[in-house]
Amino acid sequence: MNPLPAPPGRTAPALPTGQVHRIRGRLVTVDQPLRLGAGGRRAAAAVQFLRECQSHDLVVRWIPATDDPLFTGPAHEVSAIAGLLRHLPAPGPLPGEPPELAVWRDRHAYGQLHQRRGPDFVTVMDRREPSAAARFTIDDPDLLATFRTVQVPTAVAGLSALGREAVDLLAAERLAWVTGGWVVALPPRIRRWPVPCTDI
């Protein structure tokens, strides 16, 4: 009797380039501090990286730079950023960190904000604030095209007038983050299903 073939090895997911990191199993270790609060392209790229890690349900170890406004800024600004990004892997603890970062770690859960893609639409479920959970269907062609464009960090100035209007709508619903003239979509694409099917 011939032995059964070995199951295929699980390949590491393709993550965005630009963040120096190591992958071991499901653990991703980011080798340099991330500067989310500093804004601009680097912050948008860091959010894209964390979003894609969340999409693949990876455990991420990262810390903010100690001179980053996410670490040193006024409490209301830190709280606003942490609340917006709560669905993404939280930073590791650092001595003297603002309490809002500990709240981020405590309240983070896989699937709080996620998207599912259809042929001509995207459905988004937002449960970052349990008392204000919301479901969105993006099916307007211009809005959908912009949502697809900003899956990667995009300079707002490079968008058409319709694109900038769409970004304003997405940002108003907290589905995109505009920072320092750059925009990036926030909902990860769900690839694993501990998320209850009733949430989709």
Side-chain angles (χ1 to χ4, degrees):
M1 186 154 139
N2 293 331
L4 292 173
R10 186 176 176 187
T11 59
L15 297 175
T17 59
Q19 307 301 328
V20 180
H21 66 280
R22 293 169 280 135
I23 300 179
R24 185 171 184 170
R26 287 185 54 241
L27 175 64
V28 176
T29 303
V30 182
D31 293 329
Q32 298 173 339
L34 299 182
R35 298 182 54 82
L36 299 184
R41 183 175 189 217
R42 281 182 65 190
V47 165
Q48 178 199 18
F49 179 83
L50 293 174
R51 186 196 70 209
E52 291 306 302
C53 288
Q54 183 71 5
S55 176
H56 291 282
D57 191 27
L58 299 173
V59 176
V60 184
R61 288 190 184 150
W62 70 276
I63 57 170
T66 53
D67 62 343
D68 190 318
L70 181 65
F71 196 83
T72 62
H76 69 279
E77 289 180 16
V78 175
S79 182
I81 294 173
L84 185 68
L85 304 180
R86 182 180 300 147
H87 64 291
L88 299 176
L94 284 176
E97 70 178 10
E100 291 79 8
L101 299 188
V103 170
W104 183 352
R105 279 192 296 277
D106 291 343
R107 294 188 180 173
H108 169 73
Y110 179 77
Q112 284 180 331
L113 176 68
H114 56 268
Q115 61 164 297
R116 289 189 71 196
R117 298 177 188 175
D120 295 310
F121 67 92
V122 170
T123 301
V124 178
M125 184 68 185
D126 185 358
R127 295 182 298 128
R128 286 171 290 183
E129 299 295 336
S131 62
R135 184 190 317 249
F136 303 90
T137 298
I138 302 172
D139 55 6
D140 174 81
D142 294 321
L143 190 59
L144 183 59
T146 300
F147 183 76
R148 288 176 173 159
T149 296
V150 302
Q151 295 300 307
V152 297
T154 303
V156 176
L159 295 170
S160 67
L162 277 175
R164 291 192 298 274
E165 184 178 340
V167 162
D168 290 343
L169 290 170
L170 292 168
E173 296 295 349
R174 298 169 27 109
L175 302 181
W177 187 37
V178 179
T179 175
W182 288 77
V183 58
V184 65
L186 293 176
R189 186 176 183 185
I190 279 299
R191 299 170 194 271
R192 191 176 74 81
W193 290 107
V195 177
C197 61
T198 54
D199 286 348
I200 300 298

